[in-house]
Amino acid sequence: MSENLGNGLIDMYAKFGDMESAEKLFDGMQMKTVFSWTSLLDGFIQKGELERASSIFNKMPKDTTAWNVMLSGYSEAGDMNSAETIFRAMPDRDLVSWNTMIVGYSQNKKYMKSLEMLTEMLRIGLEPDRIALVGLFSVCGYAGVLRIGEAIQSFVEKLNIKEEEVEVALLDMYSKCGDPEKALRVFHPISRKSVLAWTNMIVGLAMNGLANEALMFFHQMRDEGINPNEITFLGVLCACSYAGFVQKGKWLFNAMSKVHGITPRFEHYGCMVDLLGRAGLLKEAEMFIQDMPEKADAGIWGALLGACRMHGEVQMGEKIAKIVTQMDPYHSGRYILLSNIYAAENRWLDAEKVRKKMKTSGIRKTPGFSLVEMKGEMHQFIVGNR
């Protein structure tokens, strides 16, 4: 068997997940190239067998591609400490290496680290490409660091990047940072607006409380012949929830399957429960959950618990809290909601009992954090920091 044929077969077996055949063929090869090793390495990573992949990585001859494959494996597994160790050990790094770290930190909600990677990348004279830009705009949106996002936008303009994926990430950043006007300025010049662009704009308007505008964009999108997708409907249902458009929300939810052939997911059911709950239709919301084709998860019941807190419905709140804590016993938010329901009714002993149960069960509330930009650097603060 020729070397090229052997390498091709290993790569094929690895891509199909048949690692037993790939490894058997690999072991029988007399001449093993970096490509042979990397194909085997990538196969084990795709199957999530990182220990086996690490063992192969430590034995093999390495080029930048092999380093990047291992880097990507740890990043996708959420093990950013190991990814950073690999990254720092690399003799040579290319744009793929930097992108993997920037996007990896972003996806694992380590926004400060992602921005630190950008700073380090710029310091050595590398400019972010499309993949890095999309990841960075996402970071700035979630972290709410508008100034850094605007600085990154200058790279987009400087490099004259007109790719929709980057433009959509930019408008999404402005929406998440609470500036829908700037998001609209990015949206309107996009020459060919796909469902991705329309959906992000609709979701952005909805999250900023502009429900009427979100629904107007939805109808305009339909008028232009663009079919909505699952995420589009999440946006318009959220808009209806924020604005209290109960009948409109019901119509849109029914239209998902009957008009557009889209099967509602748990997230859509959650939006409907939130819509009914905010409107004070708690019994209807409960019946809606009970009539779901699949058993509701803790998130959907949690939306109803939040509505009970909003409307001071203690009796139903107690019942729903029992359901959600049985389904998700270590989620601190459920206990805190019930405690707040009791506190709002001046039932301090009951509120204290809930807090004590949290303490004895070892359940802690995840602390919130703030990001503050000072002299070009981002600083993260949690409760108790100075």
Side-chain angles (χ1 to χ4, degrees), residues 110-282:
K110 297 180 183 290
Y111 304 126
M112 289 285 290
K113 293 292 291 183
S114 192
L115 292 172
E116 286 170 12
M117 279 288 163
L118 169 65
T119 304
E120 188 177 345
M121 182 181 179
L122 295 175
R123 193 180 297 129
I124 64 171
L126 273 178
E127 292 185 346
D129 65 358
R130 175 184 58 82
I131 297 171
L133 288 168
V134 170
L136 288 164
F137 283 138
S138 176
V139 168
C140 294
Y142 282 113
V145 285
L146 188 57
R147 264 183 66 189
I148 293 177
E150 289 174 326
I152 297 168
Q153 185 182 3
S154 68
F155 281 105
V156 175
E157 293 168 351
K158 177 183 173 183
L159 300 172
N160 197 30
I161 296 174
K162 297 293 184 183
E163 294 182 46
E164 187 191 34
E165 189 180 2
V166 176
E167 292 171 317
V168 168
L170 176 59
L171 76 85
D172 182 63
M173 179 205 74
Y174 280 125
S175 296
K176 285 187 171 72
C177 288
D179 198 336
E181 287 187 10
K182 285 186 178 177
L184 284 167
R185 284 182 213 159
V186 176
F187 173 81
H188 286 305
I190 297 175
S191 54
R192 292 186 178 182
K193 300 178 182 70
S194 70
V195 66
L196 179 68
W198 282 101
T199 295
N200 273 269
M201 198 64 248
I202 289 166
V203 171
L205 291 166
M207 75 168 62
N208 283 284
L210 301 172
N212 285 310
E213 289 82 352
L215 292 169
M216 182 187 72
F217 266 70
F218 175 77
H219 292 299
Q220 187 178 340
M221 179 186 79
R222 295 290 297 116
D223 290 341
E224 295 197 13
I226 306 294
N227 291 319
N229 61 21
E230 295 173 344
I231 310 301
T232 317
F233 276 103
L234 279 177
V236 290
L237 288 174
C238 284
C240 290
S241 180
Y242 296 150
F245 298 154
V246 176
Q247 295 306 317
K248 182 70 173 176
K250 288 180 179 179
W251 182 87
L252 285 164
F253 182 80
N254 290 327
M256 280 185 67
S257 55
K258 293 179 180 178
V259 178
H260 299 282
I262 299 172
T263 303
R265 301 189 320 214
F266 274 4
E267 293 89 343
H268 301 102
Y269 284 100
C271 281
M272 286 302 296
V273 171
D274 188 60
L275 168 64
L276 295 169
R278 283 173 182 263
L281 303 171
L282 302 181

